[in-house]
Amino acid sequence: MNRVFPPDRGATGRCLADLAERLAALGWRVTVVADGAGGEAETPPGVTLHRTGDAVDGRERPDARSYLDSLRRLTWHALRQPRHDVVVTMTDPPLLARVGPLLAARHRAVAIHWSQDVYPALLPHLGVRLPAPLLGFVERSMAAALRRHDAVIAIGRCMAGRLAGAGVPEDRLTVLPNWPDPRVRPIPHEGNGFRAALGLGGRFVVAYSGNLGLAHPMDGVLEAAARLQRSDPAVRFLMIGEGRGHAAFAQSVRGQGLDNVLFQPWQPPERLAESLSCADLHLAVMAEAAEGLMVPSKLAGAQAAGRPCLFLGPSGSDAAQRVRGCGAVLDPGDGATLAETVRRYAADPPRCAEEGVRAAAVAASWTAEDAASRVSALAEGLLRRRGMAHDGWRRVSDA
């Protein structure tokens, strides 16, 4: 279960589609329950898709009412499905973990929660303010729901630590990082239509591609852009995407007269390889307080494009570990150091190329196929523990 599924935009929907298709190829019968009325994207073979029929809220972070409406619709449609053996809930909408045990009881199934973000702890960092008593109640309620799942998947070790701190038994926790979009690959600048269309020529391009939310502090990037506009006018910052923090950032760029910052909208999946490969260097940003509550998904895409990445965020996080050897970890508020680091990369093409090769190797070391094998083995183990294995490997999962 998840609010979005392709062609609706959203990183969780893309991950779900990748996993569902590969689980089906492994022999599972997979049912996806999602919002929306459908679109041009084809449902992967072996996957049954049930849409609620209500349009998906196109905002990156919908408001509370929209999330609650989605939760109600998804729950209603999932309860009406025939019996399944495995129920998998994701974190879009945020309280979907509360539904997993209910559906598992309805289907006499095992319940897996696939945590892409940790709610409600992440809500204040996204600008959602709840009265302290209400926030405390929701936190206790979510913690109790998580403890009722047979397994909880975290997309990073820091997140697993947060979930363990909420009371999820460690033997029920599995760390399974997100993987890069399988469509992304390195594309040389020569022949890159996206780069050519922007008229970037031989300029050094630093890209931020993806959601620009309130948990992504950009003051350091603004300061670096201002410094480099004065000292290194050939450097360009390319901002691709939207998000709740996008308007404020764009306003600051205009207010400071930064001509070296370019903006582009979300790119369709078929242009993702070109848009990510357009850059020489990527940025991923995360607030210190969000460590363990989320993991920047844009990092995997940048590495799959064969580009080094600067992570502006907590040095002990999973993202920081991932960029070592193919990027650098910086304080998100230190614009002077960011500007100097960009200068060094721009002056050293061999370093960019070498770290780009390493980044591509990191991306290739964990794929959607690897993740599907792990999830399949996890589900099979839970079914065996319950004595629910089927003759002839007749397996059914609800993703």
Side-chain angles (χ1 to χ4, degrees), residues 1-364:
M1 294 175 64
N2 195 54
R3 185 177 64 92
V4 295
F5 191 81
D8 300 314
R9 193 174 67 210
T12 59
R14 192 273 301 170
C15 286
L16 174 53
D18 288 347
L19 189 67
E21 179 178 1
R22 285 154 181 82
L23 284 174
L26 290 173
W28 294 83
R29 292 206 304 266
V30 183
T31 301
V32 173
V33 179
D35 261 345
E40 296 180 358
E42 294 184 1
T43 305
V47 176
T48 300
L49 175 61
H50 286 278
R51 297 274 193 179
T52 67
D54 286 70
V56 171
D57 190 325
R59 293 172 292 179
E60 185 66 23
R61 299 285 184 184
D63 58 27
R65 179 180 295 275
S66 179
Y67 273 144
L68 289 174
D69 287 343
S70 175
L71 181 65
R72 173 185 54 79
R73 291 191 299 267
L74 293 172
T75 303
W76 173 247
H77 280 263
L79 284 170
R80 298 172 65 189
Q81 298 301 313
R83 184 183 178 278
H84 287 68
D85 300 313
V86 182
V87 174
V88 181
T89 51
M90 297 180 73
T91 45
D92 184 4
L95 300 182
L96 202 51
R98 295 279 298 141
V99 179
L102 171 66
L103 293 174
R106 156 73 174 82
H107 291 292
R108 304 185 307 282
V110 297
I112 299 175
H113 182 61
W114 185 7
S115 179
Q116 296 284 323
D117 300 291
V118 178
Y119 291 109
L122 185 60
L123 291 177
H125 306 291
L126 303 177
V128 179
R129 304 297 176 186
L130 298 176
L134 178 58
L135 181 61
F137 171 77
V138 176
E139 285 181 332
R140 291 190 296 273
S141 175
M142 283 291 287
L146 289 172
R147 290 194 295 268
R148 291 174 59 198
H149 285 77
D150 297 279
V152 177
I153 296 173
I155 61 173
R157 57 177 179 80
C158 294
M159 184 178 291
R162 288 268 192 168
L163 294 169
V168 179
E170 292 191 7
D171 61 354
R172 296 188 194 178
L173 280 167
T174 296
V175 177
L176 194 151
N178 284 345
W179 52 92
D181 190 318
R183 292 165 293 199
V184 177
R185 67 190 190 284
I187 296 179
H189 288 343
E190 301 79 15
N192 187 320
F194 185 83
R195 185 179 172 99
L198 294 179
L200 293 169
R203 297 181 183 277
F204 188 84
V205 177
V206 183
Y208 180 100
S209 179
N211 177 53
L212 178 50
L214 300 183
H216 305 126
M218 299 296 285
D219 288 348
V221 177
L222 281 169
E223 181 185 347
R227 288 173 176 269
L228 290 169
Q229 179 164 270
R230 296 189 296 268
S231 65
D232 298 79
V235 173
R236 288 290 181 268
F237 286 80
L238 176 61
M239 310 296 298
I240 305 174
E242 299 170 9
R244 294 185 66 183
H246 185 275
F249 181 79
Q251 184 177 4
S252 296
V253 167
R254 291 191 297 269
Q256 295 185 37
L258 300 180
D259 299 326
N260 60 345
V261 181
L262 309 176
F263 293 91
Q264 287 292 302
W266 292 104
Q267 296 302 303
E270 60 272 15
R271 296 211 71 182
L272 196 56
E274 280 190 322
S275 67
L276 292 175
S277 296
C278 168
D280 299 282
L281 180 67
H282 276 263
L283 301 177
V285 184
M286 188 176 76
E288 295 275 346
E291 182 177 355
L293 302 178
M294 59 186 295
V295 178
S297 59
K298 56 182 64 64
L299 176 56
Q303 292 182 325
R307 301 296 185 265
C309 186
L310 304 181
F311 175 61
L312 316 181
S315 59
S317 64
D318 294 88
Q321 181 65 35
R322 187 181 177 106
V323 302
R324 291 195 169 91
C326 49
V329 181
L330 305 175
D331 183 335
D334 190 350
T337 300
L338 174 57
E340 180 58 31
T341 303
V342 170
R343 286 191 198 99
R344 290 175 181 170
Y345 272 93
D348 195 351
R351 177 186 182 184
C352 280
E354 181 180 345
E355 292 191 6
V357 170
R358 292 181 195 157
V362 170

